């Protein structure tokens, strides 16, 4: 964006120049360097906890330096412990991560409190960052949940994905990777290379010897590549569980058996139906593709489902039991 603004000003676009001057509250300002302009407009914030790795912190720092953003490093452990302290004072109990002997419910609650505290801090800094620097105005909060995470509900409701607008809310993870690869070449952002190579992770569970053990794809039970295919079938092809299975047993026949395809389709639709309610509060997205699950603004499917899918899953099981020559292709 900053590159395009500087180019427009250089080409003599007076409206763009006027808009920039109004945004930065400086009528004499003339943007010439995209990195310098980025520092005026864009604040990035790495909110680390005890579960965050040094590698991720350094990747965020390096990328911020290359794009020129005003970068903040914040540790949220004090806030997390404060929240848990209130809970412990009332109940007399202190939840533990699964790695430390806690239950699945404790483990999830401890992940969620980190994510939600990040949302609160993001809005606090957005409102007061410029005030602290003696500047007028405030900042918009940008979300960062993509299509695949929204489809499976792989995010916490009202967490750091909650924002004023989500630039990538209508884009799949695979297309985002292609866009980042383009940015490496087009804008010479070498820091993105290590980000592309890193396994996607929420970093909400304890590290082992300083290394990440939690990964997004393991948590979701399928890869982003598989979800990208499933997302298109669900929205563009209007597939339910059975019709999606009938298509995938043919397109994935070189990789998975019909039984494995059935397991993946059933798992996806269970996750989709259980978490569909999250879409009713999702941050408004910029829609660059035609298969976003964004509720009310783009995808008007219901948000309450019978999560057992009895009839559809029974049809899938019947199809799996048939000889290959008798299977349906939709």
């Amino acid at each position: 964006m900053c590159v395009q603004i500087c180019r427009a000003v250089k080409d003599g676009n007076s409206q763009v120049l006027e808009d920039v001057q109004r945004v930065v509250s400086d009528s004499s300002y003339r943007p010439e360097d995209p990195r310098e302009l980025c520092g005026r407009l864009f604040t990035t914030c790495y909110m680390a906890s005890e579960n965050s790795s040094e590698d991720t912190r350094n990747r965020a720092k390096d990328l911020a330096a290359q794009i020129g953003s005003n970068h903040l490093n914040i540790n949220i452990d004090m806030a997390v412990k404060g929240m848990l302290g209130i809970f412990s004072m009332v109940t007399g109990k202190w939840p533990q991560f699964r790695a430390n002997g806690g239950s699945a419910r404790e483990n999830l609650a401890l992940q969620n409190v980190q994510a939600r505290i990040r949302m609160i801090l993001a809005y606090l800094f957005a409102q007061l960052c410029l005030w602290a620097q003696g500047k007028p105005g405030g900042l918009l909060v940008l979300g960062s949940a993509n299509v695949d995470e929204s489809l499976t509900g792989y995010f916490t409701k009202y967490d750091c994905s909650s924002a004023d607008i989500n630039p990538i809310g209508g884009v799949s993870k695979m297309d985002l990777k292609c866009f980042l690869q383009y940015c490496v070449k087009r804008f010479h952002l070498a820091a993105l290379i290590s980000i592309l190579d890193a396994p996607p992770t929420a970093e909400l569970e304890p590290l082992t010897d300083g290394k990440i053990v939690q990964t997004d794809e393991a948590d979701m039970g399928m890869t982003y590549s598989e979800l990208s295919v499933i997302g298109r079938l669900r929205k563009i092809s209007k597939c339910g569980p059975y019709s999606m299975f009938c298509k995938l047993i043919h397109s994935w026949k070189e990789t998975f058996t019909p039984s494995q395809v059935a397991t993946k389709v059933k798992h996806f639709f269970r996750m989709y139906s259980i978490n569909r309610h999250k879409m009713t509060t999702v941050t408004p997205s910029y829609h660059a593709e035609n298969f976003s699950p964004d509720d009310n603004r783009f995808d008007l499917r219901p948000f309450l489902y019978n999560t057992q899918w009895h009839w559809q899953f029974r049809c899938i099981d019947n199809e799996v039991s048939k000889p290959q020559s008798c299977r349906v292709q939709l």
Side-chain angles (χ1 to χ4, degrees):
M1 182 188 73
C2 292
V3 169
Q4 292 186 37
I5 288 173
C6 289
R7 184 184 299 127
V9 171
K10 183 179 179 181
D11 292 342
N13 191 319
S14 59
Q15 183 62 59
V16 171
L17 178 59
E18 181 183 328
D19 290 342
V20 172
Q21 291 172 343
R22 186 177 69 255
V23 169
V24 301
S25 301
D26 184 350
S27 58
S28 64
Y29 178 64
R30 186 178 183 87
E32 296 179 352
D33 178 17
R35 291 184 71 258
E36 187 274 336
L37 175 59
C38 186
R40 288 174 176 256
L41 299 178
F42 192 35
T43 296
T44 49
C45 183
Y46 183 72
M47 291 182 271
S49 73
E50 61 186 4
N51 304 315
S52 302
S53 69
E54 196 64 30
D55 290 341
T56 310
R57 184 199 308 269
N58 290 334
R59 283 193 286 265
K61 181 181 177 182
D62 292 344
L63 179 59
Q66 288 188 14
I67 65 177
S69 66
N70 176 31
H71 189 62
L72 305 173
N73 255 315
I74 300 172
N75 190 292
I76 68 171
D77 285 335
M78 185 185 301
V80 173
K81 286 180 170 63
M83 293 289 288
L84 295 177
I86 295 172
F87 176 82
S88 180
M89 184 172 61
V90 174
T91 65
K93 294 182 178 292
W94 193 282
Q96 298 293 328
F97 281 104
R98 182 167 38 208
N100 300 326
S103 64
R105 181 168 293 190
E106 293 171 74
N107 194 70
L108 183 59
L110 288 173
Q111 293 184 66
N112 289 346
V113 72
Q114 296 172 75
R116 289 183 173 126
I117 281 173
R118 285 173 174 147
M119 185 270 286
I120 294 170
L121 287 173
Y123 273 100
L124 176 64
F125 277 85
Q127 288 180 306
L128 294 181
C129 246
L130 297 182
W131 169 80
Q133 300 169 29
K135 298 177 181 178
L139 301 173
L140 289 172
V141 178
L142 303 183
S144 59
N146 58 58
V147 161
D148 304 322
E149 292 162 349
S150 296
L151 278 171
T152 57
Y154 187 66
F155 64 93
T156 302
K157 203 172 186 179
Y158 305 115
D159 74 338
C160 48
S161 64
S162 298
D164 295 311
I165 190 168
N166 186 355
I168 64 169
V171 186
S172 76
K173 187 80 166 186
M174 300 308 295
D175 289 340
L176 282 172
K177 284 188 172 183
C178 293
F179 178 66
L180 293 184
Q181 289 167 346
Y182 165 79
C183 289
V184 171
K185 299 176 182 178
R186 174 65 179 81
F187 302 111
H188 310 292
L189 299 175
L192 289 174
I193 297 175
S194 62
I195 293 173
L196 282 164
D197 292 338
T201 173
E203 291 193 337
L204 295 174
E205 294 189 45
L207 304 174
T208 300
D209 299 325
K211 300 297 182 182
I212 297 168
V213 293
Q214 177 193 35
T215 64
D216 293 352
E217 292 184 332
D219 282 354
M220 291 188 297
M222 55 187 67
T223 67
Y224 280 110
S225 177
E226 291 163 2
L227 276 171
S228 184
V229 174
I230 286 173
R232 286 175 166 84
L233 288 176
R234 183 203 71 94
K235 185 70 172 72
I236 300 173
S237 301
K238 298 180 173 60
C239 285
Y242 177 66
S243 57
M244 184 180 293
F245 166 79
C246 290
K247 289 180 181 295
L248 289 177
I249 56 172
H250 295 281
S251 58
W252 285 357
K253 63 182 178 182
E254 304 297 329
T255 310
F256 302 113
T257 65
S259 179
Q260 290 172 323
V261 173
T263 299
K264 286 182 180 292
V265 170
K266 289 178 182 179
H267 176 66
F268 167 75
F269 274 98
R270 284 196 192 99
M271 296 301 296
Y272 169 78
S273 54
I274 288 169
N275 292 305
R276 179 67 184 164
H277 66 94
K278 294 181 181 180
M279 290 293 93
T280 64
T281 62
V282 73
T283 298
S285 302
Y286 165 72
H287 296 294
E289 304 191 65
N290 57 357
F291 59 97
S292 170
D294 189 348
D295 178 70
N296 293 328
R297 290 163 290 271
F298 195 88
D299 188 337
L300 300 180
R301 295 190 186 198
F303 69 91
L304 292 176
Y305 285 91
N306 183 332
T307 61
Q308 300 302 311
W309 301 89
H310 294 292
W311 184 84
Q312 294 91 336
F313 287 1
R314 187 166 61 250
C315 289
I316 291 175
D317 292 338
N318 291 338
E319 202 69 26
V320 170
S321 64
K322 290 180 181 179
Q324 183 175 352
S325 58
C326 299
R327 291 196 186 112
V328 173
Q329 180 175 6
L330 298 179

